[in-house]
Amino acid sequence: MKISLGRLSMDARQIRLRKGRALLCRWAAETGNAVSRATLGLALLATAGVTDADAQRPVVPGTGSEIVGVADDFEDPEWKYIPRDPKSTEDIDENQRGPMGRTTNGRWYEGIKRGHPDVVRRVATPPGGIPGSTGALLMRSKFTGIPGRPSGTMHQDDFVANVQYRLKRRLDISEVPSVTTRVFLPPVDTWENRSGPHFGFRLALETTAMVDKEVGIGIFKRTVEEMGNEVYWPGMFVEFESKSQTGKPNDYAYLRIRGNQRGGDFRGPQITTTGWWTMGMSVTPDGMVHYYASPGVDDLTEDDYISSQYPYSYRAERFRTFFYNICSADDGQRWSTTFIVDDPKVYVLRPKGQRIATRP
């Protein structure tokens, strides 16, 4: 896929970031010192007005100890998902349609908000995967909205890792949790011919913030704001721009990052090759989310750093789980792009006590 990046308008913060990047790169060239992308990112946060007291050094996802008994490697030939259709569409019509789908190994479940992908099954690991891997997870959807009622509007399905309930607790951010996954991007000519998000890899985090609460009954019911537990879902999306819709000479794909302090998404690195990618996110004790990705199946390093953010200006306090999104046009005709994932893992750098089993 070939394309040239268009010019984007910049706010004052983006201008400071660009100037900071130029100064740091000039210093590196003049002194002969190497600057990693993670170091550059931390310096740019300071340039943008985020001080060292606010931002801690990013932690590469996969650092620390893997939590045993959560996530999956899909190596069991008997791995199976029980869908229990029709799926939930609570986000559209407030209908959960329980009971929810679950895997027989208890490690995954249907997203209660948006329902599961139409197809969830174990497949042979595509070529170039993790050495020794024989199984991976395939996901695709046609009806991402209300089952059997195509809307012609993009919707998404959720496939959720059962981390919080298997651990019987949420992870405190002081434990420095992180998640990594491998994602197989198929050849571009097999992608759903639609511009927009096609796949998501996301976290479920909690913080204390102002939340809406209904009080009173009947005609006296009203909504008030008070401090409470707020759940939010930062992550990375595989975004596609189809040449048949943009009129450009080539298709284009990139990682879209959710999100910045205002809650908006922004462009991450361009996807210049299909096949296997490694993605990861970590959360440091200051509540900041750090994003990493690189082509291939090698473990992530500092050089794979993308960005560090306080999405929605929230500082994370607790980690619930991670999940995948499968997106489609929901037109009842086109299938979504088929994505395959493998070997997702959850890590902690500073596990609390002996309440969870870990391995180095």
Side-chain angles (χ1 to χ4, degrees):
M1 293 174 289
K2 301 178 182 177
I3 197 159
S4 60
L5 285 173
R7 295 184 60 85
L8 301 176
S9 61
M10 296 185 294
D11 60 19
R13 182 172 181 271
Q14 289 173 313
I15 293 171
R16 290 197 300 272
L17 289 175
R18 175 170 286 189
K19 290 181 177 177
R21 181 189 297 270
L23 289 171
L24 189 59
C25 290
R26 183 185 304 167
W27 172 84
E30 293 174 351
T31 61
N33 289 294
V35 180
S36 72
R37 291 174 68 183
T39 302
L40 177 61
L42 197 60
L44 294 179
L45 286 171
T47 306
V50 180
T51 66
D52 288 340
D54 296 318
Q56 298 177 345
R57 183 175 178 82
V59 172
V60 177
T63 301
S65 301
E66 177 192 351
I67 300 179
V68 177
V70 300
D72 215 331
D73 59 13
F74 312 109
E75 290 301 294
D76 182 0
E78 302 302 317
W79 192 100
K80 189 175 183 182
Y81 178 65
I82 309 299
R84 295 173 179 166
D85 289 323
K87 61 187 175 185
S88 173
T89 52
E90 184 184 40
D91 64 319
I92 301 173
D93 60 0
E94 300 184 354
N95 194 336
Q96 293 184 0
R97 299 187 183 87
M100 300 293 107
R102 289 182 176 271
T103 56
T104 53
N105 66 4
R107 298 194 178 198
W108 302 90
Y109 60 89
E110 172 185 354
I112 197 169
K113 189 176 183 66
R114 289 183 282 257
H116 55 243
D118 294 342
V119 178
V120 178
R121 69 168 181 265
R122 180 184 181 271
V123 295
T125 305
I130 299 170
S133 174
T134 61
L137 177 66
L138 178 150
M139 295 175 287
R140 66 191 302 227
S141 282
K142 179 183 288 185
F143 294 100
T144 45
I146 298 174
R149 291 170 53 187
S151 66
T153 301
M154 193 281 293
H155 287 292
Q156 61 195 58
D157 293 326
D158 299 339
F159 198 59
V160 185
N162 191 8
V163 177
Q164 173 185 352
Y165 301 111
R166 287 181 70 84
L167 293 178
K168 295 183 169 60
R169 71 176 181 92
R170 293 157 292 187
L171 296 174
D172 193 271
I173 296 306
S174 65
E175 298 176 79
V176 196
S178 66
V179 183
T180 62
T181 189
R182 273 69 178 187
V183 184
F184 183 78
L185 310 183
V188 177
D189 59 5
T190 68
W191 288 35
E192 179 190 3
N193 187 19
R194 173 184 58 82
S195 295
H198 283 230
F199 172 85
F201 168 49
R202 301 169 70 184
L203 306 180
L205 303 177
E206 295 181 1
T207 193
T208 302
M210 295 297 295
V211 297
D212 292 338
K213 181 180 179 180
E214 286 191 349
V215 298
I217 58 174
I219 62 173
F220 301 105
K221 184 182 292 185
R222 68 188 190 282
T223 299
V224 298
E225 283 193 340
E226 62 179 32
M227 293 298 292
N229 188 60
E230 176 80 351
V231 184
Y232 63 110
W233 304 274
M236 293 183 278
F237 292 89
V238 173
E239 188 88 3
F240 185 58
E241 294 180 356
S242 170
K243 63 184 179 182
S244 66
Q245 296 179 351
T246 63
K248 297 177 180 179
N250 297 290
D251 293 315
Y252 181 65
Y254 62 95
L255 292 178
R256 176 158 60 86
I257 310 301
R258 177 164 299 175
N260 61 27
Q261 290 185 330
R262 297 181 296 274
D265 295 354
F266 60 93
R267 284 178 181 255
Q270 181 180 352
I271 296 172
T272 57
T273 181
T274 52
W276 285 103
W277 279 68
T278 301
M279 301 180 187
M281 289 173 281
S282 63
V283 191
T284 41
D286 58 355
M288 180 170 270
V289 182
H290 310 277
Y291 306 81
Y292 291 71
S294 67
V297 295
D298 293 341
D299 291 341
L300 295 167
T301 70
E302 282 192 349
D303 290 336
D304 303 320
Y305 173 85
I306 299 173
S307 182
S308 297
Q309 299 289 329
Y310 291 114
Y312 310 97
S313 297
Y314 290 158
R315 293 174 183 256
E317 298 173 4
R318 294 166 295 279
F319 170 96
R320 281 189 172 190
T321 189
F322 70 95
F323 60 100
Y324 300 113
N325 290 142
I326 296 294
C327 310
S328 82
D330 191 39
D331 60 7
Q333 299 177 4
R334 289 176 287 179
W335 281 92
S336 70
T337 305
T338 298
F339 287 92
I340 296 175
V341 300
D342 196 13
D343 208 36
K345 292 181 179 179
V346 181
Y347 297 83
V348 284
L349 182 58
R350 304 169 186 162
K352 276 190 174 181
Q354 302 298 315
R355 289 187 289 172
I356 55 176
T358 61
R359 58 182 169 220

